[in-house]
Amino acid sequence: MRILFYSTSSSLYDGEHIFSKTLPSWAGQWDFLAEKHPEHEFIIASQLPGMFMLDLIGNEIAQKSEKIQYHLIQNDSEKKIAEELADLKPDLAIALSFYVTPYDWLTVKDAMVADFLRQMGIRTICHSVETALICFDKWRTHEFLEKIGVNCAKAVYMHHELYINGGNRRELKSNVYRDAIFHQIKRLKFPVIIKDTTGLSSFGADVVNNFEEALGILRSKKTTSDRIIEEMISGDQFGCEIYGKSGEGDYKILPPFLFSVNQYGITSPKQSVKIGPFLEENLVQNEKYKLSELRKMLLKMAKALKLDGIAQVDLVFNGKKWFVIEINPRLSGMSTTYAASAGQPLSEVIFEYLMTSSQNAQSSRRFGFQFKPTVNIKFPIMPEERLLELKALPYTAFVNQIENRAARQIREQGYCEVIVTGETRDELLENLCDLREKFSDVAEEHFFETAIFLGEKQRLCGG
């Protein structure tokens, strides 16, 4: 079978200022897949930067697997892209959507490409346009979750044009819409989070503690688009991934990882620490976090959304029940974390989870992979020789550094993501301490303090 992995982008990419290094390389990971499955031919096709697929230097592919076919997509319209991909003669096209700023909407574009591919008789694994749009718009996500009975935070939607211009007519003496929004916000339980309905991750989100602070944000120049104001749910924040095909209605719900939060109580992808997995077969963890209930809730959600591919879900457990915060139907940092935990290349994890049946697969032990205790931690940007030293450590499973030398804000300049594993929770904590000592000249202490705190917390839960 000729299997095509594809992804598109909607943003201009200038590799002149962006430098990335992935260890092991993506080319090496594709090598592994091709060698393990010689009965298939593999093609990867992407627009730049081709996250999770391509090793780049500038705007060029720096390293290629000799065992698979590469194709850089030249067109931009969805129909033209589909025609370009169809010329590669795939039997199956699998979307590996990634993310860009300012809008997390690439799944929508990949879905439109998939529509055209199916019209040409090519089988696809890709979320539908409708599914992608529900997840893209946070208010549509909220309405969808309420409709199907999945727990989500109580929220108010603010339509920006009506909020700003609803009263700007001569015959009107007041903006009733704006007054109604304020009326609804007063009924929320504070603190609340105010964020764009279509933003990427937590960028631009504000946590406010009372109604006056909320008014200040909504009346400021910062508010330039539709907003969602939702109650902030206190509790432990987690993330997990779902793999599956809509035609089968059968999904693999991967065990969740615990996330750290920033000073505002929000998970920030570039600043967070992830540790896990929390396993359903661990009776203490299952009882404390009701992991069986979580799996059932996410399975219900996946079937209702008709997910077709990969999705990442942000979650909060408030001590009694689970809440869904956000659904990202694409690859993410969770994808590489699960792969490292399984001791597998990401390409093999994707192939295994999307190409094999998930019949009766309800826990990590039934997926064909055994997940090890794992932590995803951040380092500052380092020179390449230090990255190689880092990856040479026996417990370092994955290193990924992204540097934007044109960025002005420190937050946007980049970071180094390091994924560490251990055979047991105790060994994982020992490995973290060893890593902190060996790289004490560059290690940021607060990340290690957070990782060790989360590790101890998980160990107390029977880890």
Side-chain angles (χ1 to χ4, degrees), residues 55-68:
D55 301 285
L56 296 181
I57 292 181
N59 294 304
E60 303 294 330
I61 301 175
Q63 185 178 356
K64 292 184 179 181
S65 166
E66 295 182 357
K67 300 176 175 63
I68 67 168

Side-chain angles (χ1 to χ4, degrees), residues 38 202 211 266 296 396 405 424 434 438:
S202 59
F211 179 68
I266 299 175
K296 292 176 183 176
T396 302
R405 295 181 183 175
T424 64
D434 185 68
K438 283 185 168 64

Side-chain angles (χ1 to χ4, degrees), residues 9 13 17 19 23 33-34 63 66 140 147 186 196 203 208 211 227 259 276 288 307 317 336 379 393 396 400 419:
S9 182
Y13 179 75
H17 302 292
F19 297 82
L23 300 169
L33 182 70
Q63 185 178 356
E66 295 182 357
R140 287 191 66 178
K147 181 180 179 180
K186 286 180 181 178
D196 288 336
F203 295 124
V208 299
F211 179 68
R227 307 282 264 175
F259 289 179
K288 177 177 175 59
L307 293 177
F317 181 72
T336 49
F379 271 77
L393 296 172
T396 302
N400 182 42
I419 304 178

Side-chain angles (χ1 to χ4, degrees), residues 34 36 44 62 111 171-172 177 206 233 280 331 353 375-376 378 408 444:
K36 187 169 182 180
I44 57 174
E171 65 270 28
L172 298 178
Y177 179 82
D206 292 285
I233 302 169
E280 193 175 326
L331 292 165
Y353 285 169
V375 63
N376 182 316
K378 306 299 189 299
R408 296 181 179 179
E444 295 181 279

Side-chain angles (χ1 to χ4, degrees), residues 5 23 57 69 98 115 119 160 165 181 251 286 338 387 418 422 456:
F5 297 98
L23 300 169
I57 292 181
Q69 180 180 344
F98 53 90
D115 275 351
Q119 291 173 20
H160 182 256
N165 299 318
I181 296 302
Y251 296 94
N286 192 17
Y338 279 115
L387 298 179
V418 181
E456 292 287 357

Side-chain angles (χ1 to χ4, degrees), residues 19-230:
F19 297 82
S20 62
K21 184 71 175 180
T22 302
L23 300 169
S25 67
W26 296 118
Q29 296 187 53
W30 290 115
D31 270 342
F32 181 97
L33 182 70
E35 290 170 1
K36 187 169 182 180
H37 305 282
E39 70 278 15
H40 299 298
E41 296 178 62
F42 294 103
I43 314 161
I44 57 174
S46 181
Q47 292 179 302
L48 296 181
M51 291 174 64
F52 307 98
M53 299 174 75
L54 302 177
D55 301 285
L56 296 181
I57 292 181
N59 294 304
E60 303 294 330
I61 301 175
Q63 185 178 356
K64 292 184 179 181
S65 166
E66 295 182 357
K67 300 176 175 63
I68 67 168
Q69 180 180 344
Y70 285 76
H71 180 81
L72 285 180
I73 297 172
Q74 301 301 313
N75 290 287
D76 192 53
S77 80
E78 292 76 26
K79 185 175 182 180
K80 290 291 185 181
I81 291 173
E83 292 171 351
E84 193 175 334
L85 297 181
D87 287 340
L88 300 173
K89 307 298 182 185
D91 299 304
L92 172 68
I94 301 174
L96 298 186
S97 305
F98 53 90
Y99 49 89
V100 293
T101 55
Y103 299 116
D104 195 359
W105 59 12
L106 297 189
T107 305
V108 182
K109 186 168 184 176
D110 287 342
M112 290 188 282
V113 171
D115 275 351
F116 287 115
L117 288 173
R118 285 190 292 270
Q119 291 173 20
M120 291 181 247
I122 298 171
R123 190 160 61 96
T124 70
I125 298 177
C126 179
H127 304 297
S128 71
V129 173
E130 177 64 16
T131 296
L133 287 172
I134 288 172
C135 299
F136 167 61
D137 186 320
K138 293 178 177 62
W139 180 248
R140 287 191 66 178
T141 304
H142 176 86
E143 290 186 309
F144 176 83
L145 292 173
E146 280 194 330
K147 181 180 179 180
I148 65 172
V150 169
N151 300 327
C152 58
K154 186 177 179 181
V156 173
Y157 166 67
M158 189 204 79
H159 186 284
H160 182 256
E161 185 176 356
L162 282 172
Y163 176 82
I164 296 297
N165 299 318
N168 292 346
R169 296 176 182 272
R170 290 184 177 180
E171 65 270 28
L172 298 178
K173 61 181 180 180
S174 62
N175 186 335
V176 174
Y177 179 82
R178 184 167 56 206
D179 293 341
I181 296 302
F182 293 161
H183 181 75
Q184 289 179 299
I185 292 174
K186 286 180 181 178
R187 296 185 176 186
L188 295 177
K189 181 180 179 181
F190 286 84
V192 300
I193 302 175
I194 302 176
K195 54 190 177 183
D196 288 336
T197 59
T198 56
L200 173 66
S201 186
S202 59
F203 295 124
D206 292 285
V207 177
V208 299
N209 296 304
N210 53 58
F211 179 68
E212 287 70 28
E213 288 182 17
L215 284 186
I217 294 294
L218 295 177
R219 286 172 171 167
S220 71
K221 294 181 179 179
K222 185 176 182 178
T223 300
T224 59
S225 60
D226 291 3
R227 307 282 264 175
I228 182 171
I229 304 95
E230 64 181 17

